[in-house]
Amino acid sequence: MTASNATYPKVRSPRVQVEEALYAMIESLKTGDQLPPEPALAKQLGVSRPTLREVMRTLVERGVLVRRHGVGTFVASRFPVLESGMEILESLARLAERIDLQTEAAYLEVEERLATPIEVAGLEFPQGSEVPVLIVNRVIAIEGEPVADLRDIVPLEYLTKEGLGENFHGSVLDVFLERGEPLLSTSRTEIVAEAANVKFAKRLGVRKGSALLKLVGQLYSYDEKVVDYSVSYFVPGHFKFHVMRRVNRK
Amino acid sequence: MTASNATYPKVRSPRVQVEEALYAMIESLKTGDQLPPEPALAKQLGVSRPTLREVMRTLVERGVLVRRHGVGTFVASRFPVLESGMEILESLARLAERIDLQTEAAYLEVEERLATPIEVAGLEFPQGSEVPVLIVNRVIAIEGEPVADLRDIVPLEYLTKEGLGENFHGSVLDVFLERGEPLLSTSRTEIVAEAANVKFAKRLGVRKGSALLKLVGQLYSYDEKVVDYSVSYFVPGHFKFHVMRRVNRK
DNA sequence: GTCTATTGACTTGTCAGACAACTGATTTAT
DNA sequence: ATAAATCAGTTGTCTGACAAGTCAATAGAC
């Protein structure tokens, strides 16, 4: 049973098309700019107003748009939420690319082997399973200075050493996205602070015992399987993570 | 200029009512349970289908519901996202309460003074402003063991020492929520790993230099002002934070 | 009897057009 | 000069209908 025998919609639904078109439009606008009125926008995008409104509602929920009854719809983003926030999963490579930051893979190791018990648990396979996996381990550096150590554990059924291709630059996420398979839905990332052990201290050029930010992520496909279990260490100061949180009423 | 002269809608709009009703309904269901079909649900809640759909769309966006074209709408929540994730801002007291965990305020200090330059910046007041603030500093312990050091910095115009009331148990957020003023919208929380200095090491009962998770939060009101700037330190192992991240297509 | 194709009930997705409610600026009346 | 009324523009909500997807029951072919 592979991940590829699931069927997904071939043509994009109106809603998805509208979402992409809206994002493109927003990208060309500045914070605070007003969008065209709904009837005009719906006509322009070739959909009905209710459909457009459903899409806009999701963008409001994501904090991209702000609506004011009787006034209009505006581009929100007081801060670049989507740029540096943690609500969106994005490879470091792409993040850096967008802010014109040069990154180098200071260290890259690819290996195929059986998953360790901890990795099996992280991949949410039954305890005791023998799971052949691809391990991608790399250290990211900025201007020669190592800032992050990233490790991906991917079951071989989703990705093999050959599947990485020639111009693999380190990001398993990007490979999945470019390939379009498996279709990804969400990621659950656990956030921990951990003291650097000897191995990571050496790799990242910090003192043993210094505080590192550790992110443990599980990347889920549409059919609710873990397709990537990742463990990352970040050197404080070089990367800042933030998260936007809604207030829980009542 | 206080925060109270802004006007907010007096009666809840249909959409807000429906959202609350839906949450109540979902709460009484289990993961995977199917909701009534949209036409029936709309009738039951006394709104039109488009309105109901807009609300459902936001719940889908939040990961609470899952919709399958031609099949139905189901309660999602593979894990208790809203319970322990970071998408929702919630006081530690309430979080602990819900999981039947006894917490004690091992240390509580309340003080009124002028904000330091760093605090002024955190509150997003103009540089150089003299901002009188209320400082609430406390250490949370579980079963006698300190696990978190929390500090809130609140401009006096929003909260004073007297405003805390008699039965103040340590959470500024809960005071705001109970009082209903100022109306809160979102919080921006920055995530850092930091080594414990002497002061925090002593307070939290850990070795100097051990890794702590540091969260720096800015709590925003509806009129886009910072009403609470907070700095928190957490001892690893006692609290786990995670965040659900969407995949960034393209 | 077994397998395959078809039908049909049920559900979500989308559409169209209309009116209500709100906002902000303009105009009018005092 | 000031306050009230008006009005154009926008989002919010409603009604009713049809399209498209899913799944199980049914009818048909072998």
Side-chain angles (χ1 to χ4, degrees):
Chain A
M1 185 185 71
T2 70
S4 55
N5 49 13
T7 58
Y8 304 111
K10 301 288 186 284
V11 283
R12 293 180 208 276
S13 67
R15 219 184 50 244
V16 174
Q17 287 181 314
V18 168
E19 184 178 321
E20 294 180 351
L22 267 186
Y23 265 119
M25 172 176 290
I26 290 169
E27 210 157 310
S28 72
L29 297 176
K30 286 187 296 242
T31 297
D33 282 358
Q34 183 169 8
L35 266 62
E38 291 179 1
L41 198 50
K43 190 176 180 183
Q44 177 183 335
L45 299 177
V47 294
S48 69
R49 235 188 106 202
T51 301
L52 171 63
R53 281 182 60 82
E54 279 195 39
V55 176
M56 291 181 121
R57 182 64 60 200
T58 72
L59 296 203
V60 169
E61 183 64 27
R62 291 178 195 169
V64 176
L65 295 179
V66 167
R67 325 186 75 172
R68 293 173 58 198
H69 187 180
V71 183
T73 305
F74 304 86
V75 178
S77 290
R78 190 151 37 95
F79 357 77
V81 177
L82 300 179
E83 269 61 29
S84 53
M86 287 195 67
E87 295 78 11
I88 297 284
L89 181 63
E90 192 179 35
S91 71
L92 278 188
R94 281 178 184 261
L95 179 68
E97 188 180 313
R98 210 184 25 227
I99 56 178
D100 268 328
L101 198 62
Q102 288 292 337
T103 62
E104 315 109 45
Y107 172 82
L108 178 60
E109 181 190 351
V110 180
E111 168 191 14
E112 289 184 3
R113 59 165 167 80
L114 285 183
T116 67
I118 291 179
E119 291 166 351
V120 168
L123 291 169
E124 293 186 359
F125 276 72
Q127 196 181 354
S129 306
E130 290 207 340
V131 186
V133 291
L134 178 73
I135 310 281
V136 178
N137 203 335
R138 62 203 180 283
V139 173
I140 303 288
I142 297 178
E143 293 173 6
E145 201 169 350
V147 295
D149 183 294
L150 316 173
R151 162 173 295 211
D152 286 286
I153 296 102
V154 188
L156 280 187
E157 55 178 311
Y158 298 116
L159 190 61
T160 62
K161 206 164 178 173
E162 290 76 37
L164 291 178
E166 287 301 319
N167 51 356
F168 176 65
H169 50 283
S171 167
V172 170
L173 177 61
D174 285 343
V175 171
F176 282 157
L177 288 177
E178 277 161 28
R179 215 173 52 170
E181 189 198 340
L183 271 187
L184 308 174
S185 63
T186 59
S187 164
R188 181 185 197 269
T189 303
E190 199 168 292
I191 303 162
V192 191
E194 203 173 283
N197 63 22
V198 179
K199 182 171 129 196
F200 289 114
K202 197 170 179 182
R203 272 204 204 153
L204 294 173
V206 297
R207 282 203 316 279
K208 171 171 173 285
S210 66
L212 297 177
L213 188 63
K214 178 184 184 183
L215 300 186
V216 181
Q218 292 165 305
L219 180 60
Y220 288 88
S221 65
Y222 266 180
D223 48 355
E224 308 261 307
K225 309 235 180 192
V226 179
V227 297
D228 182 327
Y229 173 65
S230 66
V231 181
S232 320
Y233 291 88
F234 296 89
V235 179
H238 287 90
F239 270 105
K240 286 198 175 180
F241 294 99
H242 75 253
V243 59
M244 298 299 299
R245 310 162 78 176
R246 287 195 317 283
V247 173
N248 194 8
R249 321 175 179 182
K250 162 186 127 169
Chain B
M1 185 186 68
T2 70
S4 55
N5 50 12
T7 58
Y8 303 112
K10 300 287 186 286
V11 283
R12 293 178 208 277
S13 68
R15 219 185 51 244
V16 175
Q17 288 182 314
V18 168
E19 184 178 321
E20 294 181 351
L22 267 186
Y23 264 120
M25 171 175 290
I26 291 169
E27 208 159 311
S28 71
L29 296 176
K30 287 188 294 243
T31 296
D33 282 358
Q34 184 170 6
L35 265 62
E38 291 179 2
L41 198 50
K43 191 175 180 184
Q44 177 182 336
L45 299 178
V47 295
S48 69
R49 235 188 106 202
T51 301
L52 172 64
R53 280 182 61 82
E54 279 195 39
V55 176
M56 290 181 121
R57 184 62 61 201
T58 71
L59 297 203
V60 169
E61 183 63 26
R62 292 179 194 168
V64 177
L65 294 180
V66 168
R67 327 185 75 175
R68 292 173 57 198
H69 187 182
V71 183
T73 305
F74 305 84
V75 179
S77 285
R78 189 160 21 125
F79 358 76
V81 177
L82 301 179
E83 268 62 30
S84 52
M86 287 195 66
E87 296 78 12
I88 297 285
L89 182 63
E90 191 179 36
S91 71
L92 278 187
R94 281 177 183 263
L95 179 67
E97 189 180 311
R98 209 182 28 225
I99 57 178
D100 268 329
L101 199 62
Q102 288 292 336
T103 62
E104 316 109 44
Y107 172 83
L108 179 60
E109 180 189 351
V110 180
E111 169 191 12
E112 289 184 2
R113 60 164 167 79
L114 284 183
T116 67
I118 292 179
E119 291 166 350
V120 168
L123 290 169
E124 293 186 0
F125 276 71
Q127 195 180 357
S129 306
E130 290 207 341
V131 186
V133 291
L134 178 73
I135 310 282
V136 177
N137 203 337
R138 62 204 180 283
V139 174
I140 303 288
I142 297 177
E143 295 175 0
E145 203 168 347
V147 295
D149 184 295
L150 316 173
R151 159 173 298 209
D152 286 285
I153 296 100
V154 188
L156 280 187
E157 55 178 313
Y158 298 116
L159 190 61
T160 62
K161 207 165 178 174
E162 291 77 37
L164 291 178
E166 287 300 320
N167 51 357
F168 177 65
H169 50 282
S171 167
V172 171
L173 177 61
D174 285 343
V175 171
F176 282 157
L177 288 177
E178 278 162 28
R179 218 174 49 172
E181 190 198 342
L183 270 186
L184 308 174
S185 63
T186 58
S187 165
R188 180 184 198 271
T189 303
E190 199 168 291
I191 303 162
V192 191
E194 202 172 285
N197 63 22
V198 180
K199 182 171 129 196
F200 288 114
K202 198 171 178 182
R203 271 203 205 155
L204 294 173
V206 298
R207 284 200 316 277
K208 170 171 175 283
S210 67
L212 297 177
L213 189 63
K214 178 185 184 182
L215 300 185
V216 181
Q218 292 165 306
L219 180 59
Y220 289 88
S221 65
Y222 266 1
D223 48 355
E224 307 261 306
K225 310 238 178 189
V226 178
V227 297
D228 182 328
Y229 173 65
S230 67
V231 181
S232 319
Y233 291 89
F234 296 88
V235 179
H238 288 90
F239 270 105
K240 286 199 175 178
F241 294 98
H242 74 254
V243 59
M244 298 299 300
R245 311 163 77 175
R246 289 193 315 283
V247 173
N248 196 9
R249 322 174 180 186
K250 162 187 130 168

